[in-house]
């Protein structure tokens, strides 16, 4: 395929510090592969966000490019020393080490440790405490809690990186140790993909290299800020990086691009995404006769509900990421709590704190937690949950081509594409200022943008997307009228 006018300057770039802002479906991987071929005399590292992207890159890049995740880089020097105790921290593990049954304090200590592990900082400090706790929580606890929590987080960290200790070591721990060692990697060029969702510890690792650096991503696809991710793209531009753009998408045509632009307009983005793909369609209902499509939900429980409806209609379901990734077992545990079979609950860490089902229901009502309340809705609508889950497993397939319906959360859909995509109704009202903060609105719009741009031929929009489109069109009309008035 012939390179476009946007791609050529990137492919032929000779500098040492570049940011490529690539909208959804705009051929960033194709462009990077062409860059690698054009500079075949240079040793390159393609730093992938996850293993799936790494595997895809390994199939496409030429031999002068090594494709790895950041954890793979850290494994030989640090990770392999902890393979005998790798795993996530359980609440009970941390409580045993800290010798306390104050579960709130234990959770806070783990949160502070995780904030440190994702940071570029050398030591655990107050900054990680305030990153882990909300302003209200921090103010309520006071200085004593701050000091106690930081000390507890330090104890967890010390035990985690002690090869002789039985305390679990998280994968992010050996990555942190690798970053703290200030390594110099043996590459001439680093291609840093998905830089908008980069972990600060990984961004720091890349920033410390002497190699040529090319940061690639789309800040409007940043969907992991809640997990400590930071947008490395704008940071690099502030630090003097050149910037280029990929705005022409060949994944979809002008109709789906129009939806994406309506979402981007609510973010204040003026640079349009142009759809050069095949003829496409945006609608509010699934076209008749469509027997193979993908449904994207905002929440995990929403995915389960979609799958239940599909199986009830006799359809076969493919679960993106695998059925066990969608908390099916948690739903079964809530059922066991409801019928008084606490001894059959497997996730004691999550449900053991509730003495009975009434306590769970009360917590769901008071917290207005969407996941918990959807579990309650499923329990209300279906009496025999074990039978239901057995049916879900029986009517699932491991091959998406064999499925009538593909189900996925929006987060898991990132990087993927399908011919027909349906956006479900479990997205929040992003314009409800009483429930959504400005930062949350940005994050939810990003997620909606990611979801909408997974479609190649048909996009079935939900009600909140319709509101976004109407709002953006109204704003555009006012802007045109104001500009016409100024000219007059």
């Amino acid at each position: 395929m012939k390179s476009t006018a946007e791609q050529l300057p990137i492919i032929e770039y000779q500098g040492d510090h570049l940011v490529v802002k690539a909208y959804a479906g705009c051929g960033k991987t194709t462009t990077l592969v062409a860059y690698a071929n054009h500079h075949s005399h240079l040793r390159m590292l393609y730093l992938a966000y996850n293993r799936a992207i790494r595997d895809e890159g390994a199939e496409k890049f030429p031999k002068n490019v090594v494709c790895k995740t950041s954890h793979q880089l850290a494994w030989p020097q640090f990770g392999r020393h902890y393979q005998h105790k790798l795993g996530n921290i359980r609440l009970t593990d941390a409580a045993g080490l800290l010798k306390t049954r104050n579960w709130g304090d234990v959770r806070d200590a783990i949160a502070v440790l995780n904030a440190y592990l994702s940071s570029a900082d050398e030591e655990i400090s107050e900054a990680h405490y305030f990153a882990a706790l909300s302003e209200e929580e921090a103010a309520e606890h006071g200085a004593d809690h701050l000091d106690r929590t930081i000390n507890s987080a330090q104890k967890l960290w010390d035990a985690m990186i002690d090869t002789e200790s039985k305390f679990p070591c998280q994968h992010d721990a050996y990555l942190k140790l690798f970053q703290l060692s200030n390594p110099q990697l043996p590459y001439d060029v680093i291609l840093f993909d998905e830089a908008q969702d980069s972990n600060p510890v990984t961004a720091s690792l890349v920033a410390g290299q002497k190699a040529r650096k090319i940061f690639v991503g789309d800040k409007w696809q940043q969907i992991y800020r809640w997990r400590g991710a930071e947008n490395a793209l704008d940071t690099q531009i502030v630090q003097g990086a050149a910037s280029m753009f990929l705005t022409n998408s060949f994944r979809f045509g002008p109709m789906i691009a129009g939806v994406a632009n309506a979402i981007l307009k609510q973010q204040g983005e003026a640079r349009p995404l142009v759809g050069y793909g095949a003829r496409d369609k945006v609608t509010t209902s699934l076209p008749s006769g469509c027997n193979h499509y993908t449904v994207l939900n905002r929440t995990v429980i929403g995915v389960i509900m979609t799958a239940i409806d599909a199986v009830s209609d006799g359809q076969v379901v493919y679960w993106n990421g695998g059925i066990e990734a969608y908390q099916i077992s948690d739903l079964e545990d809530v059922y066991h709590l409801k019928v008084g079979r606490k001894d059959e609950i497997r996730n004691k860490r999550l449900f053991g704190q509730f003495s009975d089902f009434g306590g769970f229901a009360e917590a769901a009502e008071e917290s207005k937690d969407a996941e918990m309340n959807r579990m309650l809705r499923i329990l209300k609508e279906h009496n025999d949950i074990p039978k239901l889950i057995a049916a879900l497993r029986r009517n699932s397939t491991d091959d998406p081509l064999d499925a009538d319906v593909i189900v996925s959360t929006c987060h898991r859909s990132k990087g993927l594409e399908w011919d027909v995509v349906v956006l479900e109704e479990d997205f929040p009202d992003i314009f409800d200022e009483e429930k959504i903060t400005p930062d949350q609105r940005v994050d939810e719009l990003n997620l909606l943008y990611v979801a909408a741009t997974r479609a190649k031929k048909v996009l079935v929009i939900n009600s909140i997307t319709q509101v976004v489109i109407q709002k953006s069109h109204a704003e555009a009309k006012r802007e045109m009228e104001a500009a016409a008035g100024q000219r007059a």
Side-chain angles (χ1 to χ4, degrees):
M1 183 175 178
K2 186 178 179 180
S3 298
T4 67
E6 284 186 322
Q7 291 173 320
L8 277 175
I10 300 169
I11 294 168
E12 297 174 354
Y13 179 72
Q14 298 290 338
D16 293 328
H17 197 188
L18 175 65
V19 167
V20 178
K21 294 187 174 182
Y23 282 158
C26 290
K28 63 172 183 175
T29 303
T30 301
T31 306
L32 291 179
V33 169
Y35 172 88
N37 280 314
H38 189 74
H39 303 268
S40 58
H41 62 289
L42 298 175
R43 297 171 302 165
M44 301 187 189
L45 168 67
Y46 173 69
L47 193 56
Y49 183 76
N50 57 36
R51 182 172 293 181
I53 295 174
R54 186 278 315 271
D55 291 344
E56 180 184 359
E59 295 179 356
K60 295 180 178 180
F61 279 98
K63 293 181 179 180
N64 61 313
V65 181
V66 173
C67 301
K68 289 188 177 182
T69 65
S70 55
H71 288 88
Q72 281 183 302
L73 291 175
W75 179 262
Q77 190 174 349
F78 291 96
R80 64 185 183 86
H81 298 300
Y82 298 97
Q83 55 186 321
H84 62 289
K85 62 172 206 163
L86 286 172
N88 292 326
I89 308 174
R90 295 179 179 177
L91 207 64
T92 49
D93 295 328
L97 182 72
L98 299 174
K99 295 181 173 58
T100 179
R101 289 293 171 180
N102 188 323
W103 301 111
D105 283 1
V106 174
R107 282 193 298 269
D108 291 344
I110 294 174
V112 170
L113 174 59
N114 286 331
Y116 166 68
L117 291 179
S118 66
S119 77
D121 304 323
E122 293 187 5
E123 298 179 348
I124 300 175
S125 68
E126 292 183 6
H128 307 114
Y129 178 86
F130 291 109
L133 277 69
S134 67
E135 292 183 10
E136 294 79 7
E137 290 172 328
E140 178 182 343
H141 287 307
D144 288 344
H145 183 265
L146 184 152
D147 292 338
R148 186 170 66 253
T149 304
I150 291 177
N151 288 335
S152 295
Q154 184 66 51
K155 290 180 181 178
L156 297 180
W157 169 241
D158 291 340
M160 183 176 287
I161 61 175
D162 182 356
T163 56
E164 301 300 320
S165 170
K166 293 182 180 180
F167 190 74
C169 177
Q170 297 181 170
H171 287 274
D172 284 346
Y174 65 78
L175 174 60
K176 181 65 180 176
L177 289 173
F178 185 58
Q179 176 252 335
L180 291 175
S181 71
N182 297 314
Q184 280 299 312
L185 304 174
Y187 303 102
D188 303 310
V189 182
I190 297 178
L191 307 174
F192 191 10
D193 198 6
E194 299 288 347
Q196 81 282 348
D197 262 328
S198 65
N199 193 309
V201 70
T202 304
S204 173
L205 175 64
V206 173
Q209 303 305 307
K210 297 177 181 178
R212 177 184 300 180
K213 306 176 188 71
I214 298 181
F215 294 78
V216 188
D218 179 1
K219 74 175 182 178
W220 304 125
Q221 292 190 65
Q222 183 185 32
I223 59 175
Y224 288 105
R225 187 165 62 168
W226 54 275
R227 218 161 62 180
E230 292 183 356
N231 177 14
L233 300 170
D234 291 344
T235 301
Q236 298 305 310
I237 292 176
V238 170
Q239 294 176 0
S243 61
M244 298 184 189
F245 297 86
L246 292 174
T247 63
N248 298 331
S249 179
F250 296 92
R251 174 182 296 164
F252 41 73
M255 300 305 293
I256 295 173
V259 174
N261 283 323
I263 298 170
L264 293 176
K265 185 172 181 57
Q266 293 303 307
Q267 300 280 43
E269 177 60 71
R271 188 182 299 270
L273 166 61
V274 182
Y276 280 116
R279 183 179 178 182
D280 59 352
K281 181 179 181 180
V282 174
T283 180
T284 56
S285 61
L286 193 67
S288 60
C290 184
N291 54 15
H292 184 76
Y293 56 92
T294 298
V295 180
L296 299 183
N297 281 87
R298 173 64 180 86
T299 63
V300 169
I301 296 302
V303 171
I304 296 174
M305 293 175 67
T306 296
I308 289 173
D309 290 340
V311 169
S312 299
D313 289 338
Q315 295 175 304
V316 176
V317 176
Y318 173 81
W319 302 68
N320 179 32
I323 188 172
E324 296 305 328
Y326 292 89
Q327 301 175 3
I328 291 290
S329 297
D330 287 349
L331 177 60
E332 198 163 18
D333 281 345
V334 177
Y335 170 80
H336 290 320
L337 186 65
K338 180 180 180 180
V339 298
R341 301 176 188 162
K342 288 196 67 174
D343 57 322
E344 295 185 36
I345 292 175
R346 283 167 288 187
N347 193 341
K348 307 291 186 183
R349 176 174 49 175
L350 189 58
F351 300 105
Q353 59 185 300
F354 301 108
S355 58
D356 53 32
F357 182 72
F360 179 87
E362 183 179 350
E365 181 180 356
E366 291 180 358
S367 66
K368 295 182 171 60
D369 183 274
E371 298 283 343
M372 295 173 71
N373 280 287
R374 286 193 178 91
M375 283 188 184
L376 292 179
R377 178 180 164 187
I378 294 173
L379 289 174
K380 185 177 180 180
E381 295 177 356
H382 301 273
N383 294 324
D384 194 340
I385 294 298
K387 182 178 179 181
L388 174 66
I389 292 175
L392 290 177
R393 291 197 169 106
R394 188 170 57 251
N395 290 279
S396 67
T397 177
D398 293 331
D399 187 345
L401 296 178
D402 292 337
D404 301 305
V405 182
I406 296 172
V407 296
S408 176
T409 60
C410 297
H411 283 92
R412 287 186 177 274
S413 75
K414 188 174 180 179
L416 302 175
E417 59 184 23
W418 298 277
D419 285 346
V420 182
V421 170
V422 179
L423 304 184
E424 257 297 348
E425 291 292 347
D426 59 341
F427 289 71
D429 181 357
I430 56 179
F431 300 111
D432 186 340
E433 296 182 356
E434 293 184 359
K435 296 181 180 179
I436 301 291
T437 67
D439 283 346
Q440 289 173 330
R441 183 176 298 111
V442 169
D443 292 341
E444 292 297 335
L445 282 167
N446 284 354
L447 195 58
L448 191 60
Y449 165 70
V450 167
T453 53
R454 299 310 95 195
K456 297 167 64 178
K457 296 179 180 179
V458 178
L459 174 64
V460 183
I461 58 175
N462 54 14
S463 56
I464 190 59
T465 308
Q466 294 178 56
V467 172
V468 168
I469 293 171
Q470 293 166 0
K471 190 175 179 63
S472 291
H473 284 181
E475 291 174 2
K477 183 179 180 180
R478 288 195 297 269
E479 290 167 2
M480 292 176 63
E481 292 172 347
Q486 290 178 352
R487 288 194 299 270

